[in-house]
Amino acid sequence: MANLPVEGIPTTIDEMLALLSSHDYLASRSLATVLFLALRMERPLFLEGEAGVGKTEIAKVLSAALDRPLIRLQCYEGLDVASAVYEWNYPAQMLEIRLSEAAGISDRDRLEHDIFSERYLIRRPVLQALTSEGGRAPVFLIDELDRTDEAFEAFLLEVLSDFQVTIPEFGTVRAAHPPIVIVTSNRTREVHDALKRRCLYHWVDYPDAAQELEIIRRKVPGCNEALSRQVVAYVQKLRTIDLFKNPGVAETIDWATALTELDRVALDPETISDTLGTLLKYQDDIARIQSGEGRKILSEIEAELRAVG
């Protein structure tokens, strides 16, 4: 077992569950287990799942719960090393070269050593995560890795396997204390096996009704109990039909918040139609629900809720 440099790491899975719950993140035991193992084994954790199920939130909660800085690399198409890892301060380097020339310094090796020093190195998120100060390794979130290309994935292999990065002009930078690395993917494309092998893996699924209801109670305390149950039942039912994009937990929270702001105490067809934009993000899905399917779902959940008392 690795020797963790910072106190506060849970020593049991139950402690991990309690730690997450204390920051209003309700995790399944399987998720708490893989988080516990990732911390104890000092391994990156690869989280895959639909958008809005709480993958990014896990990194934020760990940062707050363990009192560590959060460094976030938001991935996108075309992300390169200069934006993600490091780049040189070229204007400052050029100025140094000109000043050296003006001073009559002709030692090229010395000049090259001077301009490719830490003084001129601009640290981007990856390098920041590897060079934390004060012995407090950060939580490093590599968010939506599936938005990048395979070339950037290949670059990350060194980072995820050895917690180091090699800068040709500077040398190898290795983390004194490995960061807690959380990698997320919405699975818009498959991430290469070579990267997954360097990580522990977990599929983050939608919560069941009981868990989602508890999330609403914690995140939207102003939402009354009856409305909360209707909201959760309605969203759970929506996820069973063939929508272009199912609502995630984030959308459930937004919808419950919006209904509370409108002082609603129960769902009705008009309210559902007027507020669907907080729950669904594609017009075809909204039109489908507004065309009559939404009324059918409402009738079904009302009957189901009456049946259970």
Side-chain angles (χ1 to χ4, degrees), residues 99-162:
L99 289 174
S100 297
E101 290 174 346
I105 298 174
S106 58
D107 187 338
R108 295 178 59 89
D109 290 339
R110 175 187 168 188
L111 181 58
E112 182 177 346
H113 179 271
D114 288 344
I115 65 172
F116 288 114
S117 63
E118 191 166 346
R119 176 183 176 186
Y120 299 101
L121 188 62
I122 300 175
R123 301 171 188 270
R124 300 305 185 197
V126 172
L127 199 55
Q128 291 172 14
L130 297 178
T131 56
S132 59
E133 298 179 355
R136 300 192 64 76
V139 175
F140 181 32
L141 170 62
I142 304 174
D143 210 15
E144 298 183 324
L145 180 63
D146 52 317
R147 293 181 178 272
T148 63
D149 55 29
E150 291 187 1
F152 187 74
E153 274 186 44
F155 175 83
L156 284 179
L157 296 181
E158 181 185 17
V159 176
L160 297 181
S161 60
D162 300 317

Short mmCIF file of all heavy atoms in Angstrom, two decimals, residues 99-162:
data_model
loop_
_atom_site.label_atom_id
_atom_site.label_comp_id
_atom_site.label_asym_id
_atom_site.label_seq_id
_atom_site.Cartn_x
_atom_site.Cartn_y
_atom_site.Cartn_z
N LEU A 99 18.99 41.37 -25.01
CA LEU A 99 19.78 42.02 -23.96
C LEU A 99 21.15 41.37 -23.85
O LEU A 99 22.16 42.05 -23.62
CB LEU A 99 19.03 41.92 -22.63
CG LEU A 99 17.77 42.78 -22.48
CD1 LEU A 99 17.05 42.46 -21.18
CD2 LEU A 99 18.12 44.27 -22.55
N SER A 100 21.20 40.05 -24.01
CA SER A 100 22.48 39.34 -23.95
C SER A 100 23.37 39.75 -25.11
O SER A 100 24.58 39.95 -24.95
CB SER A 100 22.24 37.83 -23.97
OG SER A 100 21.52 37.42 -22.83
N GLU A 101 22.78 39.87 -26.29
CA GLU A 101 23.55 40.30 -27.46
C GLU A 101 24.09 41.71 -27.26
O GLU A 101 25.24 42.02 -27.59
CB GLU A 101 22.69 40.23 -28.71
CG GLU A 101 22.36 38.80 -29.16
CD GLU A 101 21.37 38.78 -30.32
OE1 GLU A 101 20.76 39.85 -30.58
OE2 GLU A 101 21.22 37.71 -30.94
N ALA A 102 23.23 42.58 -26.70
CA ALA A 102 23.65 43.96 -26.46
C ALA A 102 24.78 44.03 -25.43
O ALA A 102 25.64 44.92 -25.48
CB ALA A 102 22.46 44.80 -26.00
N ALA A 103 24.76 43.06 -24.48
CA ALA A 103 25.81 43.04 -23.45
C ALA A 103 27.07 42.32 -23.92
O ALA A 103 28.04 42.22 -23.17
CB ALA A 103 25.26 42.37 -22.20
N GLY A 104 27.02 41.81 -25.13
CA GLY A 104 28.19 41.15 -25.71
C GLY A 104 28.39 39.73 -25.25
O GLY A 104 29.48 39.17 -25.37
N ILE A 105 27.33 39.11 -24.72
CA ILE A 105 27.43 37.71 -24.29
C ILE A 105 27.29 36.81 -25.51
O ILE A 105 26.27 36.85 -26.21
CB ILE A 105 26.35 37.38 -23.25
CG1 ILE A 105 26.52 38.25 -22.00
CG2 ILE A 105 26.37 35.90 -22.89
CD1 ILE A 105 25.41 38.08 -20.98
N SER A 106 28.29 36.01 -25.78
CA SER A 106 28.29 35.18 -26.98
C SER A 106 28.30 33.68 -26.68
O SER A 106 28.37 32.87 -27.61
CB SER A 106 29.51 35.51 -27.85
OG SER A 106 30.71 35.33 -27.11
N ASP A 107 28.24 33.32 -25.42
CA ASP A 107 28.24 31.90 -25.04
C ASP A 107 26.84 31.32 -25.31
O ASP A 107 25.91 31.50 -24.52
CB ASP A 107 28.59 31.76 -23.56
CG ASP A 107 28.78 30.31 -23.15
OD1 ASP A 107 28.26 29.41 -23.83
OD2 ASP A 107 29.46 30.08 -22.12
N ARG A 108 26.71 30.59 -26.42
CA ARG A 108 25.41 30.09 -26.85
C ARG A 108 24.85 29.05 -25.86
O ARG A 108 23.64 29.03 -25.58
CB ARG A 108 25.50 29.49 -28.25
CG ARG A 108 25.84 30.50 -29.34
CD ARG A 108 25.95 29.82 -30.70
NE ARG A 108 24.71 29.16 -31.06
CZ ARG A 108 23.72 29.77 -31.71
NH1 ARG A 108 23.83 31.04 -32.05
NH2 ARG A 108 22.63 29.10 -32.03
N ASP A 109 25.73 28.19 -25.35
CA ASP A 109 25.27 27.17 -24.40
C ASP A 109 24.71 27.81 -23.13
O ASP A 109 23.66 27.39 -22.63
CB ASP A 109 26.41 26.22 -24.03
CG ASP A 109 26.81 25.33 -25.20
OD1 ASP A 109 25.98 25.17 -26.12
OD2 ASP A 109 27.95 24.82 -25.20
N ARG A 110 25.40 28.80 -22.64
CA ARG A 110 24.93 29.49 -21.44
C ARG A 110 23.60 30.21 -21.71
O ARG A 110 22.68 30.15 -20.89
CB ARG A 110 25.98 30.48 -20.97
CG ARG A 110 25.52 31.34 -19.79
CD ARG A 110 26.51 32.42 -19.46
NE ARG A 110 25.94 33.40 -18.54
CZ ARG A 110 26.53 34.54 -18.20
NH1 ARG A 110 27.74 34.84 -18.70
NH2 ARG A 110 25.95 35.36 -17.36
N LEU A 111 23.53 30.84 -22.88
CA LEU A 111 22.31 31.57 -23.22
C LEU A 111 21.13 30.61 -23.35
O LEU A 111 20.03 30.89 -22.86
CB LEU A 111 22.51 32.35 -24.52
CG LEU A 111 21.32 33.20 -24.99
CD1 LEU A 111 20.93 34.22 -23.92
CD2 LEU A 111 21.67 33.91 -26.30
N GLU A 112 21.38 29.49 -24.01
CA GLU A 112 20.31 28.50 -24.18
C GLU A 112 19.87 27.97 -22.82
O GLU A 112 18.68 27.78 -22.57
CB GLU A 112 20.79 27.36 -25.07
CG GLU A 112 19.71 26.31 -25.34
CD GLU A 112 20.18 25.22 -26.28
OE1 GLU A 112 21.23 25.42 -26.94
OE2 GLU A 112 19.50 24.19 -26.35
N HIS A 113 20.82 27.72 -21.94
CA HIS A 113 20.49 27.25 -20.59
C HIS A 113 19.66 28.28 -19.84
O HIS A 113 18.70 27.94 -19.12
CB HIS A 113 21.78 26.95 -19.82
CG HIS A 113 21.54 26.47 -18.43
ND1 HIS A 113 21.44 27.35 -17.35
CD2 HIS A 113 21.35 25.23 -17.91
CE1 HIS A 113 21.21 26.67 -16.26
NE2 HIS A 113 21.16 25.38 -16.56
N ASP A 114 19.99 29.55 -20.01
CA ASP A 114 19.28 30.62 -19.29
C ASP A 114 17.84 30.78 -19.79
O ASP A 114 16.92 30.93 -18.99
CB ASP A 114 20.03 31.94 -19.43
CG ASP A 114 21.32 31.96 -18.63
OD1 ASP A 114 21.47 31.09 -17.74
OD2 ASP A 114 22.17 32.84 -18.89
N ILE A 115 17.66 30.76 -21.11
CA ILE A 115 16.31 31.06 -21.63
C ILE A 115 15.37 29.87 -21.51
O ILE A 115 14.14 30.04 -21.53
CB ILE A 115 16.36 31.57 -23.08
CG1 ILE A 115 16.87 30.48 -24.01
CG2 ILE A 115 17.16 32.85 -23.19
CD1 ILE A 115 16.77 30.85 -25.49
N PHE A 116 15.93 28.65 -21.40
CA PHE A 116 15.07 27.48 -21.19
C PHE A 116 15.15 27.04 -19.72
O PHE A 116 15.35 25.88 -19.41
CB PHE A 116 15.47 26.34 -22.13
CG PHE A 116 15.10 26.59 -23.56
CD1 PHE A 116 16.08 26.75 -24.52
CD2 PHE A 116 13.77 26.71 -23.93
CE1 PHE A 116 15.74 27.00 -25.85
CE2 PHE A 116 13.42 26.96 -25.26
CZ PHE A 116 14.41 27.11 -26.21
N SER A 117 14.98 28.01 -18.86
CA SER A 117 14.96 27.74 -17.42
C SER A 117 13.54 27.93 -16.89
O SER A 117 12.64 28.39 -17.60
CB SER A 117 15.91 28.70 -16.70
OG SER A 117 15.50 30.04 -16.87
N GLU A 118 13.36 27.59 -15.63
CA GLU A 118 12.03 27.67 -15.02
C GLU A 118 11.47 29.08 -15.05
O GLU A 118 10.25 29.28 -15.06
CB GLU A 118 12.11 27.15 -13.59
CG GLU A 118 10.76 26.93 -12.95
CD GLU A 118 10.85 26.11 -11.69
OE1 GLU A 118 11.91 25.48 -11.46
OE2 GLU A 118 9.87 26.10 -10.94
N ARG A 119 12.34 30.03 -15.09
CA ARG A 119 11.92 31.44 -15.11
C ARG A 119 11.01 31.75 -16.29
O ARG A 119 10.12 32.60 -16.20
CB ARG A 119 13.17 32.33 -15.15
CG ARG A 119 12.91 33.81 -15.28
CD ARG A 119 14.23 34.55 -15.37
NE ARG A 119 14.05 35.98 -15.59
CZ ARG A 119 15.04 36.82 -15.82
NH1 ARG A 119 16.29 36.37 -15.85
NH2 ARG A 119 14.81 38.10 -16.01
N TYR A 120 11.24 31.07 -17.40
CA TYR A 120 10.47 31.36 -18.62
C TYR A 120 9.43 30.29 -18.93
O TYR A 120 8.82 30.32 -19.99
CB TYR A 120 11.43 31.51 -19.81
CG TYR A 120 12.42 32.63 -19.64
CD1 TYR A 120 13.72 32.38 -19.24
CD2 TYR A 120 12.03 33.96 -19.84
CE1 TYR A 120 14.63 33.41 -19.06
CE2 TYR A 120 12.93 35.00 -19.65
CZ TYR A 120 14.22 34.72 -19.26
OH TYR A 120 15.11 35.76 -19.08
N LEU A 121 9.23 29.38 -18.02
CA LEU A 121 8.30 28.28 -18.23
C LEU A 121 6.91 28.67 -17.74
O LEU A 121 6.72 29.03 -16.59
CB LEU A 121 8.79 27.03 -17.48
CG LEU A 121 8.04 25.73 -17.74
CD1 LEU A 121 8.15 25.31 -19.20
CD2 LEU A 121 8.60 24.63 -16.83
N ILE A 122 5.95 28.60 -18.63
CA ILE A 122 4.56 28.89 -18.27
C ILE A 122 3.85 27.57 -18.00
O ILE A 122 3.75 26.71 -18.88
CB ILE A 122 3.84 29.65 -19.40
CG1 ILE A 122 4.55 30.98 -19.68
CG2 ILE A 122 2.38 29.89 -19.04
CD1 ILE A 122 3.98 31.73 -20.87
N ARG A 123 3.38 27.40 -16.80
CA ARG A 123 2.77 26.13 -16.40
C ARG A 123 1.28 26.13 -16.71
O ARG A 123 0.53 26.98 -16.22
CB ARG A 123 2.98 25.89 -14.90
CG ARG A 123 4.45 25.83 -14.51
CD ARG A 123 4.62 25.82 -13.00
NE ARG A 123 6.02 25.97 -12.64
CZ ARG A 123 6.86 24.95 -12.48
NH1 ARG A 123 6.41 23.72 -12.64
NH2 ARG A 123 8.12 25.15 -12.17
N ARG A 124 0.87 25.15 -17.48
CA ARG A 124 -0.54 24.91 -17.76
C ARG A 124 -1.05 23.82 -16.81
O ARG A 124 -0.28 23.30 -15.99
CB ARG A 124 -0.73 24.52 -19.22
CG ARG A 124 -0.26 25.58 -20.23
CD ARG A 124 -0.91 26.91 -20.00
NE ARG A 124 -0.55 27.88 -21.05
CZ ARG A 124 -0.70 29.18 -20.94
NH1 ARG A 124 -1.19 29.69 -19.82
NH2 ARG A 124 -0.36 30.00 -21.93
N PRO A 125 -2.34 23.44 -16.86
CA PRO A 125 -2.90 22.56 -15.84
C PRO A 125 -2.12 21.27 -15.55
O PRO A 125 -1.96 20.91 -14.37
CB PRO A 125 -4.30 22.25 -16.40
CG PRO A 125 -4.67 23.50 -17.12
CD PRO A 125 -3.40 23.97 -17.75
N VAL A 126 -1.65 20.58 -16.57
CA VAL A 126 -0.94 19.31 -16.31
C VAL A 126 0.31 19.56 -15.49
O VAL A 126 0.57 18.88 -14.48
CB VAL A 126 -0.57 18.61 -17.63
CG1 VAL A 126 0.34 17.39 -17.36
CG2 VAL A 126 -1.83 18.16 -18.37
N LEU A 127 1.10 20.55 -15.87
CA LEU A 127 2.33 20.84 -15.15
C LEU A 127 2.03 21.40 -13.76
O LEU A 127 2.74 21.10 -12.79
CB LEU A 127 3.18 21.83 -15.94
CG LEU A 127 4.68 21.90 -15.57
CD1 LEU A 127 5.32 20.52 -15.64
CD2 LEU A 127 5.41 22.88 -16.49
N GLN A 128 0.98 22.19 -13.63
CA GLN A 128 0.58 22.69 -12.32
C GLN A 128 0.24 21.54 -11.38
O GLN A 128 0.59 21.56 -10.19
CB GLN A 128 -0.64 23.61 -12.46
CG GLN A 128 -0.35 24.93 -13.15
CD GLN A 128 -1.63 25.70 -13.44
OE1 GLN A 128 -2.70 25.38 -12.92
NE2 GLN A 128 -1.53 26.71 -14.28
N ALA A 129 -0.44 20.52 -11.91
CA ALA A 129 -0.84 19.39 -11.08
C ALA A 129 0.36 18.57 -10.60
O ALA A 129 0.30 17.96 -9.53
CB ALA A 129 -1.79 18.49 -11.87
N LEU A 130 1.43 18.58 -11.38
CA LEU A 130 2.62 17.79 -11.02
C LEU A 130 3.59 18.54 -10.13
O LEU A 130 4.49 17.93 -9.56
CB LEU A 130 3.35 17.34 -12.30
CG LEU A 130 2.59 16.41 -13.24
CD1 LEU A 130 3.42 16.10 -14.47
CD2 LEU A 130 2.18 15.12 -12.54
N THR A 131 3.41 19.84 -10.01
CA THR A 131 4.38 20.65 -9.26
C THR A 131 3.71 21.41 -8.14
O THR A 131 3.97 22.59 -7.92
CB THR A 131 5.11 21.63 -10.20
OG1 THR A 131 4.14 22.44 -10.90
CG2 THR A 131 5.93 20.89 -11.23
N SER A 132 2.82 20.74 -7.43
CA SER A 132 2.12 21.38 -6.32
C SER A 132 3.11 21.74 -5.22
O SER A 132 4.14 21.08 -5.04
CB SER A 132 1.04 20.45 -5.77
OG SER A 132 1.62 19.24 -5.34
N GLU A 133 2.79 22.79 -4.49
CA GLU A 133 3.67 23.26 -3.44
C GLU A 133 3.10 22.93 -2.07
O GLU A 133 1.90 22.72 -1.90
CB GLU A 133 3.88 24.78 -3.58
CG GLU A 133 4.54 25.18 -4.90
CD GLU A 133 4.70 26.69 -5.01
OE1 GLU A 133 4.21 27.40 -4.11
OE2 GLU A 133 5.29 27.14 -6.00
N GLY A 134 3.96 22.90 -1.08
CA GLY A 134 3.52 22.71 0.30
C GLY A 134 3.14 21.29 0.66
O GLY A 134 2.53 21.05 1.70
N GLY A 135 3.47 20.32 -0.21
CA GLY A 135 3.16 18.93 0.09
C GLY A 135 1.69 18.58 -0.01
O GLY A 135 1.27 17.51 0.43
N ARG A 136 0.87 19.48 -0.58
CA ARG A 136 -0.56 19.22 -0.71
C ARG A 136 -0.87 18.94 -2.17
O ARG A 136 -1.18 19.85 -2.94
CB ARG A 136 -1.37 20.40 -0.18
CG ARG A 136 -1.11 20.70 1.29
CD ARG A 136 -2.12 21.68 1.85
NE ARG A 136 -3.47 21.15 1.85
CZ ARG A 136 -3.92 20.26 2.72
NH1 ARG A 136 -3.12 19.78 3.65
NH2 ARG A 136 -5.16 19.84 2.66
N ALA A 137 -0.76 17.68 -2.53
CA ALA A 137 -1.04 17.29 -3.91
C ALA A 137 -2.48 17.62 -4.26
O ALA A 137 -3.40 17.34 -3.47
CB ALA A 137 -0.77 15.80 -4.09
N PRO A 138 -2.73 18.19 -5.41
CA PRO A 138 -4.08 18.63 -5.75
C PRO A 138 -4.95 17.49 -6.27
O PRO A 138 -4.47 16.37 -6.53
CB PRO A 138 -3.83 19.65 -6.87
CG PRO A 138 -2.61 19.12 -7.56
CD PRO A 138 -1.75 18.54 -6.45
N VAL A 139 -6.22 17.78 -6.43
CA VAL A 139 -7.11 16.94 -7.21
C VAL A 139 -7.03 17.45 -8.65
O VAL A 139 -7.31 18.62 -8.90
CB VAL A 139 -8.56 17.00 -6.70
CG1 VAL A 139 -9.49 16.20 -7.61
CG2 VAL A 139 -8.64 16.48 -5.27
N PHE A 140 -6.62 16.59 -9.56
CA PHE A 140 -6.44 16.98 -10.95
C PHE A 140 -7.56 16.37 -11.78
O PHE A 140 -7.64 15.15 -11.95
CB PHE A 140 -5.08 16.52 -11.46
CG PHE A 140 -4.78 16.91 -12.88
CD1 PHE A 140 -5.28 18.08 -13.42
CD2 PHE A 140 -4.00 16.10 -13.68
CE1 PHE A 140 -5.01 18.46 -14.74
CE2 PHE A 140 -3.71 16.44 -14.99
CZ PHE A 140 -4.22 17.63 -15.52
N LEU A 141 -8.45 17.22 -12.28
CA LEU A 141 -9.60 16.79 -13.07
C LEU A 141 -9.30 16.96 -14.56
O LEU A 141 -9.09 18.08 -15.03
CB LEU A 141 -10.83 17.61 -12.68
CG LEU A 141 -12.08 17.45 -13.57
CD1 LEU A 141 -12.59 16.01 -13.53
CD2 LEU A 141 -13.17 18.43 -13.13
N ILE A 142 -9.26 15.85 -15.28
CA ILE A 142 -9.15 15.87 -16.74
C ILE A 142 -10.55 15.60 -17.26
O ILE A 142 -11.00 14.46 -17.33
CB ILE A 142 -8.14 14.83 -17.25
CG1 ILE A 142 -6.77 15.05 -16.59
CG2 ILE A 142 -8.00 14.90 -18.76
CD1 ILE A 142 -5.74 13.98 -16.93
N ASP A 143 -11.25 16.66 -17.60
CA ASP A 143 -12.70 16.59 -17.83
C ASP A 143 -13.03 16.41 -19.31
O ASP A 143 -12.53 17.15 -20.16
CB ASP A 143 -13.36 17.87 -17.29
CG ASP A 143 -14.78 17.62 -16.83
OD1 ASP A 143 -15.17 16.45 -16.66
OD2 ASP A 143 -15.51 18.61 -16.62
N GLU A 144 -13.88 15.42 -19.58
CA GLU A 144 -14.38 15.12 -20.93
C GLU A 144 -13.23 14.82 -21.90
O GLU A 144 -13.10 15.42 -22.96
CB GLU A 144 -15.25 16.28 -21.45
CG GLU A 144 -16.48 16.52 -20.59
CD GLU A 144 -17.39 17.61 -21.12
OE1 GLU A 144 -16.88 18.61 -21.67
OE2 GLU A 144 -18.62 17.45 -21.00
N LEU A 145 -12.43 13.84 -21.52
CA LEU A 145 -11.28 13.45 -22.34
C LEU A 145 -11.70 13.00 -23.73
O LEU A 145 -10.94 13.15 -24.69
CB LEU A 145 -10.51 12.33 -21.64
CG LEU A 145 -9.29 11.79 -22.36
CD1 LEU A 145 -8.23 12.88 -22.52
CD2 LEU A 145 -8.70 10.59 -21.63
N ASP A 146 -12.91 12.48 -23.86
CA ASP A 146 -13.37 11.99 -25.16
C ASP A 146 -13.52 13.10 -26.19
O ASP A 146 -13.69 12.83 -27.38
CB ASP A 146 -14.70 11.24 -25.00
CG ASP A 146 -15.76 12.06 -24.25
OD1 ASP A 146 -15.41 12.69 -23.22
OD2 ASP A 146 -16.92 12.06 -24.68
N ARG A 147 -13.44 14.36 -25.78
CA ARG A 147 -13.52 15.47 -26.73
C ARG A 147 -12.19 15.73 -27.44
O ARG A 147 -12.14 16.44 -28.44
CB ARG A 147 -13.97 16.75 -26.03
CG ARG A 147 -15.40 16.71 -25.51
CD ARG A 147 -15.78 18.02 -24.86
NE ARG A 147 -17.15 18.02 -24.41
CZ ARG A 147 -18.19 18.38 -25.16
NH1 ARG A 147 -17.99 18.76 -26.42
NH2 ARG A 147 -19.42 18.36 -24.68
N THR A 148 -11.09 15.19 -26.90
CA THR A 148 -9.79 15.40 -27.52
C THR A 148 -9.53 14.31 -28.56
O THR A 148 -10.39 13.46 -28.83
CB THR A 148 -8.67 15.36 -26.47
OG1 THR A 148 -8.63 14.06 -25.87
CG2 THR A 148 -8.92 16.40 -25.38
N ASP A 149 -8.32 14.31 -29.13
CA ASP A 149 -7.99 13.29 -30.13
C ASP A 149 -7.01 12.28 -29.55
O ASP A 149 -6.52 12.42 -28.42
CB ASP A 149 -7.43 13.93 -31.40
CG ASP A 149 -6.23 14.83 -31.12
OD1 ASP A 149 -5.51 14.58 -30.13
OD2 ASP A 149 -6.02 15.78 -31.89
N GLU A 150 -6.71 11.25 -30.32
CA GLU A 150 -5.84 10.17 -29.84
C GLU A 150 -4.41 10.64 -29.59
O GLU A 150 -3.71 10.08 -28.75
CB GLU A 150 -5.87 9.01 -30.83
CG GLU A 150 -7.21 8.29 -30.87
CD GLU A 150 -7.16 7.05 -31.73
OE1 GLU A 150 -6.08 6.74 -32.27
OE2 GLU A 150 -8.20 6.39 -31.87
N ALA A 151 -3.97 11.66 -30.34
CA ALA A 151 -2.60 12.16 -30.14
C ALA A 151 -2.44 12.72 -28.73
O ALA A 151 -1.42 12.50 -28.07
CB ALA A 151 -2.28 13.21 -31.18
N PHE A 152 -3.45 13.44 -28.25
CA PHE A 152 -3.36 13.99 -26.89
C PHE A 152 -3.47 12.87 -25.85
O PHE A 152 -2.80 12.91 -24.82
CB PHE A 152 -4.43 15.05 -26.66
CG PHE A 152 -4.27 15.76 -25.35
CD1 PHE A 152 -3.27 16.71 -25.17
CD2 PHE A 152 -5.09 15.46 -24.26
CE1 PHE A 152 -3.09 17.34 -23.95
CE2 PHE A 152 -4.93 16.10 -23.05
CZ PHE A 152 -3.92 17.04 -22.90
N GLU A 153 -4.31 11.90 -26.12
CA GLU A 153 -4.38 10.73 -25.24
C GLU A 153 -3.00 10.10 -25.07
O GLU A 153 -2.59 9.75 -23.96
CB GLU A 153 -5.33 9.68 -25.82
CG GLU A 153 -6.78 9.87 -25.48
CD GLU A 153 -7.59 8.70 -26.00
OE1 GLU A 153 -7.15 7.55 -25.82
OE2 GLU A 153 -8.65 8.93 -26.58
N ALA A 154 -2.30 9.93 -26.21
CA ALA A 154 -0.98 9.30 -26.17
C ALA A 154 -0.02 10.11 -25.31
O ALA A 154 0.79 9.55 -24.57
CB ALA A 154 -0.44 9.15 -27.59
N PHE A 155 -0.12 11.43 -25.39
CA PHE A 155 0.74 12.26 -24.57
C PHE A 155 0.48 12.04 -23.09
O PHE A 155 1.40 12.05 -22.27
CB PHE A 155 0.54 13.73 -24.93
CG PHE A 155 1.32 14.66 -24.04
CD1 PHE A 155 2.66 14.92 -24.30
CD2 PHE A 155 0.74 15.23 -22.92
CE1 PHE A 155 3.39 15.73 -23.46
CE2 PHE A 155 1.47 16.05 -22.08
CZ PHE A 155 2.80 16.30 -22.36
N LEU A 156 -0.78 11.80 -22.72
CA LEU A 156 -1.13 11.65 -21.31
C LEU A 156 -0.64 10.35 -20.70
O LEU A 156 -0.65 10.20 -19.48
CB LEU A 156 -2.66 11.73 -21.14
CG LEU A 156 -3.31 13.10 -21.23
CD1 LEU A 156 -4.81 12.98 -21.05
CD2 LEU A 156 -2.73 14.06 -20.19
N LEU A 157 -0.22 9.40 -21.52
CA LEU A 157 0.19 8.10 -20.98
C LEU A 157 1.31 8.25 -19.96
O LEU A 157 1.32 7.59 -18.92
CB LEU A 157 0.60 7.17 -22.11
CG LEU A 157 -0.51 6.79 -23.10
CD1 LEU A 157 0.04 5.84 -24.16
CD2 LEU A 157 -1.70 6.17 -22.39
N GLU A 158 2.30 9.09 -20.26
CA GLU A 158 3.40 9.29 -19.33
C GLU A 158 2.91 9.93 -18.04
O GLU A 158 3.35 9.57 -16.94
CB GLU A 158 4.48 10.16 -19.98
CG GLU A 158 5.69 10.39 -19.07
CD GLU A 158 6.71 11.34 -19.67
OE1 GLU A 158 6.37 12.08 -20.62
OE2 GLU A 158 7.85 11.36 -19.17
N VAL A 159 2.01 10.88 -18.18
CA VAL A 159 1.49 11.57 -17.00
C VAL A 159 0.74 10.60 -16.09
O VAL A 159 0.94 10.59 -14.86
CB VAL A 159 0.55 12.72 -17.44
CG1 VAL A 159 -0.08 13.40 -16.22
CG2 VAL A 159 1.30 13.74 -18.28
N LEU A 160 -0.11 9.76 -16.67
CA LEU A 160 -0.96 8.89 -15.87
C LEU A 160 -0.24 7.67 -15.33
O LEU A 160 -0.65 7.10 -14.32
CB LEU A 160 -2.17 8.45 -16.72
CG LEU A 160 -3.11 9.57 -17.18
CD1 LEU A 160 -4.26 9.01 -17.97
CD2 LEU A 160 -3.62 10.39 -16.00
N SER A 161 0.84 7.24 -15.99
CA SER A 161 1.54 6.05 -15.52
C SER A 161 2.64 6.39 -14.51
O SER A 161 2.84 5.67 -13.53
CB SER A 161 2.14 5.28 -16.69
OG SER A 161 3.07 6.07 -17.40
N ASP A 162 3.36 7.50 -14.74
CA ASP A 162 4.51 7.83 -13.90
C ASP A 162 4.39 9.16 -13.18
O ASP A 162 5.31 9.57 -12.47
CB ASP A 162 5.79 7.83 -14.74
CG ASP A 162 6.06 6.49 -15.38
OD1 ASP A 162 5.88 5.47 -14.69
OD2 ASP A 162 6.42 6.45 -16.56
#
